[in-house]
Amino acid sequence: MLDANDLVKSIQKAAVAAVQASKPAEITHGTILSVDPLKIQVDQKTVLGQMQLDRGESMQEYEAEIELEIEELELDLELEIEGESAAAKAKGEGKMKGMIRIRRGLDVGSEVILMRQQGGQKYVMYDKVKKDVT
């Protein structure tokens, strides 16, 4: 004979199954297979394409133009080219303009952190995983 505890356990199991069936949001990892077009492998069977992915701003390559003003510069250079040595000194001042890359874009083989949105149809690419190299 069933009692109140059995009824509560059955309701709890049904509630958990209902939540899992709705594919709630979850955090997972993926590996970049290609950059253009963007393809990310999540597991053996799942490869995501551009239409299934949203990117956070931090996932975009970012470059900025810089301008440096140099008041006084002294350089001592020593070069070796094909066994021949050369030395040079330079002094000067001036301005330099150029581009500097602040943040790298995506690379094939990089691992990324993904957040699956409710329902499981779309993912948000949150960040790249940094592997510690010692």
Side-chain angles (χ1 to χ4, degrees), residues 111 113 127-133:
E111 190 174 345
I113 301 168
D127 206 351
K128 289 198 285 188
V129 175
K130 183 175 186 241
K131 303 283 184 182
D132 287 334
V133 179

Side-chain angles (χ1 to χ4, degrees), residues 74-129:
E74 289 186 36
L75 293 173
D76 287 326
L77 303 171
E78 291 185 32
L79 303 171
E80 185 174 325
I81 301 173
E82 296 180 8
E84 298 291 322
S85 295
K89 289 187 179 215
K91 257 186 172 178
E93 60 183 58
K95 291 184 179 181
M96 292 176 24
K97 284 186 177 182
M99 296 295 288
I100 184 171
R101 184 171 14 177
I102 307 294
R103 186 174 47 238
R104 285 179 60 145
L106 301 172
D107 299 314
V108 171
S110 294
E111 190 174 345
V112 291
I113 301 168
L114 301 167
M115 290 184 280
R116 187 180 72 198
Q117 297 176 7
Q118 183 83 25
Q121 297 301 311
K122 282 199 87 150
Y123 289 73
V124 176
M125 216 178 356
Y126 177 71
D127 206 351
K128 289 198 285 188
V129 175

Side-chain angles (χ1 to χ4, degrees), residues 40-51:
I40 298 177
Q41 185 162 14
V42 178
D43 56 38
Q44 287 183 337
K45 296 188 292 183
T46 309
V47 176
L48 305 174
Q50 289 182 175
M51 299 300 288

Side-chain angles (χ1 to χ4, degrees), residues 10-56:
S10 294
I11 292 172
Q12 287 174 336
K13 284 181 184 178
V16 168
V19 169
Q20 288 175 343
S22 71
K23 294 192 175 184
E26 74 170 342
I27 296 175
T28 188
H29 289 92
T31 302
I32 298 177
L33 297 178
S34 75
V35 176
D36 190 19
L38 183 59
K39 290 186 180 177
I40 298 177
Q41 185 162 14
V42 178
D43 56 38
Q44 287 183 337
K45 296 188 292 183
T46 309
V47 176
L48 305 174
Q50 289 182 175
M51 299 300 288
Q52 297 163 290
L53 292 161
D54 290 330
R55 285 188 210 197

